[in-house]
Amino acid sequence: MSDHLVQQGEPVSATAVDAGGRGQYGRGVHGARPRRTARPRQGGEDERGRRRVGGPEPEGLRFFGTTWVGHDRGYAVRRAGVSAGALAATVAACLLLRFAYEGLRSAAVGFFVHALVVVVFAVCGAIAFQSTWDGFRRRPADPVREEALRGVRTVGFIGSLLAYFLRSLTEAPGEGLRRREYATALTRHERRRGHRVAATGRPDAEQHGRV
């Protein structure tokens, strides 16, 4: 085989043609541009691969982002990691409190102080657990009260860690609440879009801002 290829009556060096049959200027040997393989469109993208606008966007969750919508992009791994991390943190916190309690016993501060410490951590832990668990199911009705409970949740952080561990066994913490809100937002958006289409007769009226 000759070391040169002939294109339109002129010799072309073989090194000027790559493995895909393209020349130095990105064209084929016969002057035709190579055809590109179309990338399959993902959900939420238009025909040009751009994210669709105009619709409601899902709210991200801590450690999960928006993977809870389709349970993809490592959702199961994230859930396992959150569950294991919350359990390990709970065990470590319990050991830390035990060491602190042993230190109080060594200091011989008296039975009253011992009992007070146990009661304070038990009550704060229970309140923190209930508050964190309720936050996974509904939005706080009283932001002022939630702000006041921040110190209690800090003291009873073991309760919050335990709530994260138990909730992550079934779903991403807060997933159920976000899913209900997202479904409601989608329903409202489709209803408004349907009203605009019925009024204008043009399905694209919403995208272009024409009503």
Side-chain angles (χ1 to χ4, degrees):
M1 183 176 179
S2 175
D3 294 337
H4 293 80
L5 299 178
V6 178
Q7 178 183 358
Q8 297 179 355
E10 296 180 4
V12 180
S13 175
T15 58
V17 182
D18 60 10
R22 295 188 300 271
Q24 292 179 343
Y25 300 100
R27 295 182 178 272
V29 174
H30 298 289
R33 290 185 178 275
R35 298 179 62 182
R36 297 181 179 179
T37 303
R39 180 178 64 88
R41 282 183 283 172
Q42 305 293 331
E45 293 184 355
D46 59 13
E47 66 277 1
R48 295 186 179 181
R50 298 175 301 187
R51 189 169 184 83
R52 293 173 183 165
V53 295
E57 295 291 337
E59 181 180 354
L61 287 173
R62 182 181 300 175
F63 307 122
F64 290 90
T66 58
T67 60
W68 58 267
V69 178
H71 289 183
D72 54 1
R73 292 178 292 157
Y75 170 84
V77 176
R78 292 169 188 251
R79 252 186 62 192
V82 169
S83 180
L87 180 60
T90 302
V91 173
C94 290
L95 293 176
L96 181 63
L97 289 182
R98 179 175 176 81
F99 291 151
Y101 183 76
E102 292 296 334
L104 289 177
R105 292 184 59 183
S106 301
V109 294
F111 173 79
F112 176 76
V113 175
H114 290 167
L116 182 62
V117 170
V118 172
V119 170
V120 166
F121 275 97
V123 171
C124 290
I127 294 176
F129 177 88
Q130 188 64 41
S131 177
T132 304
W133 190 267
D134 289 342
F136 296 150
R137 299 183 298 177
R138 58 176 179 266
R139 297 287 183 178
D142 189 359
V144 177
R145 180 177 177 273
E146 291 297 318
E147 185 67 23
L149 289 176
R150 178 175 297 183
V152 176
R153 287 198 298 266
T154 301
V155 176
F157 65 99
I158 293 181
S160 297
L161 292 174
L162 185 59
Y164 258 93
F165 166 70
L166 294 178
R167 197 62 174 181
S168 61
L169 294 178
T170 57
E171 65 175 13
E175 176 182 344
L177 173 63
R178 268 64 173 188
R179 191 173 296 280
R180 291 194 302 270
E181 293 177 344
Y182 185 49
T184 302
L186 285 177
T187 302
R188 292 175 179 173
H189 173 71
E190 291 299 327
R191 188 176 303 166
R192 290 194 299 267
R193 184 173 181 271
H195 291 165
R196 291 191 178 98
V197 171
T200 62
R202 295 193 302 271
D204 60 342
E206 182 184 9
Q207 297 179 1
H208 296 284
R210 299 190 301 268
V211 179

